Amino acid sequence: MIGIIDVGGGQRDVYGAGVLDYCIQYGIRFDYCIGVSAGSANMASFLSGQSSRNFRFYTDYSFRKEYMGISQFLSTGNYVNLDYVYGTLANSNGEDPLNYDALKNSGSELIVVATDARTGEPVYFTMDDISQDHYDVFKASSCVPGFNKPYPIGDRLYYDGGISDPIPIDKAFQAGCEKVVVILTRPVDYVRDPKDDRKIVKRIRSKYPKAAEAMEKRAETYNRQLALCRQYQDEGKVLIIAPDDIGKLKTLTRDIEAIKHLYHKGQNDAPEIMGFLGIKP
């Protein structure tokens, strides 16, 4: 079984969209597909065969005030309007609908990673949790703490999956994968600094102490998981696809030229997958 992981990263994950659009173009398929945060949306469009769909979200829709912005945050407490992104735009009557039937019948297993806001533990949604025009699992997986309130599904609240399981490589191998492609959205030599998360930890600690605790450990978790991926890559079991540089592009940066540049970088780096999987061009 061949797996693929897209770790997300907000606007930076246009890189992953480029990689996956290349895979659509050349008919590269995977049996077990894990998406974290924005990576879950990338993975959905990949499995539905909708090339360039995610590119439109990064380069067009994300610049709309309805999508995200300070006005959204001041009026609702949510910087990113997840219901607009994964509902208004993505539903069957939306401007850019997800082809749910194609996703459901792709023949691949989809795992969407989120974090339970109350326990701080990772939650792994599957296709059984998705139905036509009910894409709450993508909203949950992409709910960035500090920028958004936790997203409710049923009686549970969720934050971004990258808090608790940023590079779910163990999940892929435990599921039975023999080889795994890992799409990162930072250079492979990037070392996460716990200082980067401290402001958000302070903002959520009083209401969601377990999520804050998981976020406090996120740098350690990310760095440990990346080291494991690099070890597996040396053993021929993992291929890491990562940009050599992301410029000044951050999670929510809206810089059209930087976004387009990173998308094309993803397309240019993706051919490595052919060799890793033994596919002839």
Side-chain angles (χ1 to χ4, degrees):
M1 185 161 69
I2 305 300
I4 186 167
I5 298 169
D6 185 332
V7 305
Q11 296 290 82
R12 295 193 316 272
D13 205 21
V14 70
Y15 177 82
V19 173
L20 291 169
D21 279 352
Y22 176 92
C23 292
I24 291 175
Q25 181 181 355
Y26 288 96
I28 303 172
R29 305 300 293 171
F30 300 90
D31 305 299
Y32 195 79
C33 304
I34 305 178
V36 183
S37 193
S40 67
N42 280 353
M43 207 61 74
S45 293
F46 166 67
L47 291 176
S48 65
Q50 292 175 273
S51 181
S52 300
R53 179 174 180 269
N54 284 106
F55 180 74
R56 294 191 291 274
F57 276 74
Y58 291 108
T59 60
D60 182 357
Y61 311 138
S62 71
F63 286 80
R64 298 177 181 178
K65 67 181 188 308
E66 297 91 348
Y67 193 108
M68 66 177 173
I70 192 64
S71 61
Q72 288 279 346
F73 186 76
L74 293 175
S75 62
T76 68
N78 295 306
Y79 189 86
V80 180
N81 186 342
L82 297 168
D83 289 328
Y84 179 76
V85 179
Y86 300 110
T88 304
L89 292 172
N91 285 345
S92 54
N93 62 349
E95 186 174 346
D96 207 331
L98 177 66
N99 187 336
Y100 171 74
D101 287 339
L103 170 63
K104 182 179 179 181
N105 297 312
S106 68
S108 300
E109 191 167 352
L110 172 64
I111 304 297
V112 176
V113 186
T115 300
D116 187 304
R118 293 195 177 100
T119 67
E121 294 296 319
V123 176
Y124 304 101
F125 294 108
T126 69
M127 274 300 302
D128 291 339
D129 301 300
I130 304 168
S131 59
Q132 179 76 66
D133 297 344
H134 292 91
Y135 305 133
D136 286 355
V137 300
F138 304 121
K139 302 172 190 178
S141 182
S142 304
C143 187
V144 180
F147 291 93
N148 278 66
K149 300 173 185 177
Y151 196 86
I153 300 179
D155 61 355
R156 299 175 73 177
L157 298 171
Y158 297 95
Y159 273 136
D160 192 296
I163 298 173
S164 55
D165 200 356
I167 313 176
I169 189 65
D170 287 331
K171 180 70 174 174
F173 281 114
Q174 287 167 5
C177 290
E178 297 164 354
K179 287 190 171 185
V180 181
V181 174
V182 177
I183 304 171
L184 303 180
T185 56
R186 292 187 184 275
V188 71
D189 58 357
Y190 168 76
V191 177
R192 190 169 185 88
D193 189 333
K195 292 179 182 178
D196 296 341
D197 299 318
R198 286 177 185 168
K199 286 183 180 179
I200 294 177
V201 168
K202 289 179 181 178
R203 291 177 66 176
I204 67 173
R205 191 191 298 278
S206 61
K207 285 189 175 182
Y208 305 104
K210 293 295 185 180
E213 185 179 327
M215 190 150 193
E216 207 163 23
K217 297 176 180 176
R218 178 165 70 156
E220 177 187 342
T221 303
Y222 178 92
N223 295 335
R224 173 177 50 79
Q225 290 177 328
L226 178 56
L228 186 59
C229 287
R230 297 182 77 164
Q231 176 189 324
Y232 285 146
Q233 181 162 255
D234 290 340
E235 296 171 6
K237 297 190 291 186
V238 160
L239 172 66
I240 300 171
I241 302 288
D244 57 0
D245 179 67
I246 59 170
K248 297 181 179 180
L249 198 60
K250 297 181 180 179
T251 303
L252 298 175
T253 301
R254 291 188 281 192
D255 180 330
I256 189 65
E257 293 307 318
I259 290 170
K260 288 181 178 178
H261 179 70
L262 200 54
Y263 173 80
H264 293 301
K265 193 181 285 283
Q267 287 189 311
N268 291 336
D269 291 347
E272 291 185 57
I273 297 172
M274 291 276 203
F276 178 65
L277 298 181
I279 300 172
K280 294 183 178 179

